[in-house]
């Protein structure tokens, strides 16, 4: 069993959870993920990227959004509760190298959290790191303080201008790419549409762009094939070939179409689960 040490809501529907997992904490590297199952016998397996870890204290931190039944149930857990299955670390670690010019890291929405270990690793390797954080509004911004304490520069973009600059993350990215000191590399994590347009922004400048994909996944070992994507015209599996890929080579449209395949069912299961939880809470109150 894996004990939940801490749990808090970072923004509306986005949660931070610290879990006791000593072996994973000791062995994980930036960019890797785990698979969580909250019901050992019947539960859905969901991939979550490791947002932070402490090898000496033996914990890992996860950040997730409650969008389906499983993530909603996970969000109801509290400190002291236990999870039966936490499998990892999985996937290939991010490639961290010392670059001659700055590295730009872009995080969109709750995708900012998995950027944190990458920024830490880039800084440890001696890089200058520029972090671009994007969100719809200031209330949805997360990990701002963590990034400000680690990255050399933090640029905040909100769709409504309620914090930082108004606009999309591609605006400062374009400015940096066309500057006298363009980035040596760009790393983007967040909604697929954001990663797609980030890659399209850097491509004319020939700047290597790495994206971290989080597709539909079940077993995490490459056997089920659910996480397949096309990269450079070749079939790849996110769980074993990724999660990092060349953003200029990803077939974004096909990937996003596949990810929408079960959106209707995910939404329906979320609402059904919410009703069940509300009914259970009501029954508990009456007793």
């Amino acid at each position: 069993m894996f004990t939940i040490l801490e749990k808090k809501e970072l923004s509306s529907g986005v949660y931070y959870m610290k879990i006791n997992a000593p072996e994973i904490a000791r062995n994980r590297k930036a960019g890797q993920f785990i698979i969580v199952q909250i019901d050992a016998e019947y539960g859905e397996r969901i991939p979550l990227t490791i947002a932070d870890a402490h090898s000496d204290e033996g914990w890992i931190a996860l950040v997730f959004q409650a969008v389906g039944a499983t993530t909603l149930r996970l969000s109801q857990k509290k400190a002291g509760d236990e999870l039966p299955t936490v499998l990892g670390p999985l996937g290939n670690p991010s490639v961290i190298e010392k670059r001659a010019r700055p590295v730009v890291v872009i995080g969109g929405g709750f995708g900012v959290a998995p950027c944190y270990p990458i920024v830490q690793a880039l800084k440890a390797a001696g890089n200058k790191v520029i972090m671009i954080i994007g969100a719809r509004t200031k209330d949805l911004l997360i990990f701002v303080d963590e990034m400000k304490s680690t990255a050399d520069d933090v640029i905040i973009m909100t769709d409504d201008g309620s914090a930082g600059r108004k606009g999309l993350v591609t605006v400062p990215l374009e400015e940096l790419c066309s500057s006298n000191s363009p980035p040596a590399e760009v790393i983007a994590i967040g909604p697929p549409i954001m990663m797609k347009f980030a890659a399209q922004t850097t491509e004319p400048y020939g700047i290597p762009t790495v994206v971290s994909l989080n597709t539909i996944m079940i077993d995490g070992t490459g056997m089920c094939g659910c996480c397949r994507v096309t990269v450079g015209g070749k079939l790849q599996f996110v769980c074993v070939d990724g999660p990092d890929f060349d953003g200029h080579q990803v077939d974004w449209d096909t990937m996003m179409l596949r990810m929408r395949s079960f959106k209707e069912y995910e939404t329906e299961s979320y609402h059904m689960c919410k009703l069940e939880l509300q009914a259970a809470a009501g029954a508990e109150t009456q007793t």
Side-chain angles (χ1 to χ4, degrees):
M1 289 289 187
F2 299 83
T3 304
I4 298 171
L5 304 175
E6 180 185 347
K7 175 246 177 165
K8 58 186 176 182
E9 189 169 11
L10 297 179
S11 63
S12 180
V14 176
Y15 297 87
Y16 171 96
M17 189 171 281
K18 186 185 287 186
I19 299 171
N20 183 53
E23 289 299 322
I24 298 175
R26 277 194 292 270
N27 292 287
R28 68 93 205 191
K29 291 187 171 116
Q32 291 186 295
F33 66 95
I34 62 166
I35 283 182
V36 174
Q37 196 171 7
I38 61 175
D39 183 320
E41 188 172 358
Y42 300 109
E44 177 188 21
R45 297 160 61 91
I46 57 171
L48 297 172
T49 307
I50 301 170
D52 199 1
H54 197 295
S55 58
D56 293 336
E57 296 180 6
W59 56 261
I60 61 172
L62 311 173
V63 173
F64 62 94
Q65 186 175 26
V67 292
T70 300
T71 45
L72 179 58
R73 290 189 184 280
L74 183 60
S75 74
Q76 301 304 300
K77 299 288 185 181
K78 55 186 182 297
D81 289 345
E82 294 182 329
L83 301 175
T85 304
V86 178
L87 175 66
L90 299 172
N92 296 305
S94 298
V95 176
I96 305 295
E97 298 176 347
K98 175 69 172 69
R99 303 287 188 175
R101 299 193 311 277
V103 177
V104 173
V105 181
I106 308 171
F110 71 96
V112 175
C115 290
Y116 185 50
I118 295 173
V119 172
Q120 289 177 310
L122 287 168
K123 285 301 299 175
N127 290 286
K128 178 181 179 180
V129 180
I130 300 171
M131 181 72 207
I132 303 176
I133 299 176
R136 293 197 307 274
T137 182
K138 68 176 182 179
D139 294 332
L140 298 178
L141 290 168
I142 64 171
F143 270 60
V144 174
D145 291 339
E146 289 86 345
M147 291 303 186
K148 285 184 176 180
S149 68
T150 309
D152 295 278
D153 190 16
V154 176
I155 301 169
I156 295 173
M157 303 294 296
T158 51
D159 293 355
D160 61 2
S162 55
R165 296 170 57 184
K166 182 177 182 179
L168 303 176
V169 295
T170 50
V171 175
L173 177 60
E174 174 77 39
E175 293 169 354
L176 291 166
C177 289
S178 59
S179 70
N180 292 328
S181 181
E185 180 185 32
V186 171
I187 300 169
I189 305 177
I193 192 67
M194 183 216 78
M195 293 189 288
K196 173 184 177 179
F197 283 109
Q200 287 184 351
T201 300
T202 60
E203 191 166 17
Y205 298 94
I207 297 171
T209 301
V210 176
V211 295
S212 181
L213 305 184
N214 190 358
T215 54
I216 298 167
M217 200 177 292
I218 297 178
D219 69 279
T221 64
M223 291 190 294
C224 73
C226 290
C227 66
R228 63 187 180 275
V229 291
T230 303
V231 182
K234 296 180 180 179
L235 189 66
Q236 301 280 286
F237 297 110
V238 172
C239 65
V240 291
D241 297 318
D244 290 354
F245 294 96
D246 181 346
H248 299 150
Q249 298 294 316
V250 174
D251 182 343
W252 292 104
D253 293 339
T254 301
M255 189 193 87
M256 288 189 286
L257 182 64
R258 290 197 71 249
M259 291 184 69
R260 289 195 297 268
S261 300
F262 299 100
K263 187 64 179 175
E264 181 181 342
Y265 301 101
E266 181 181 59
T267 303
E268 182 180 353
S269 69
Y270 173 87
H271 290 299
M272 290 295 292
C273 181
K274 193 170 185 179
L275 290 173
E276 290 173 7
L277 292 171
Q278 289 172 344
E284 188 175 310
T285 301
Q286 290 177 2
T287 56

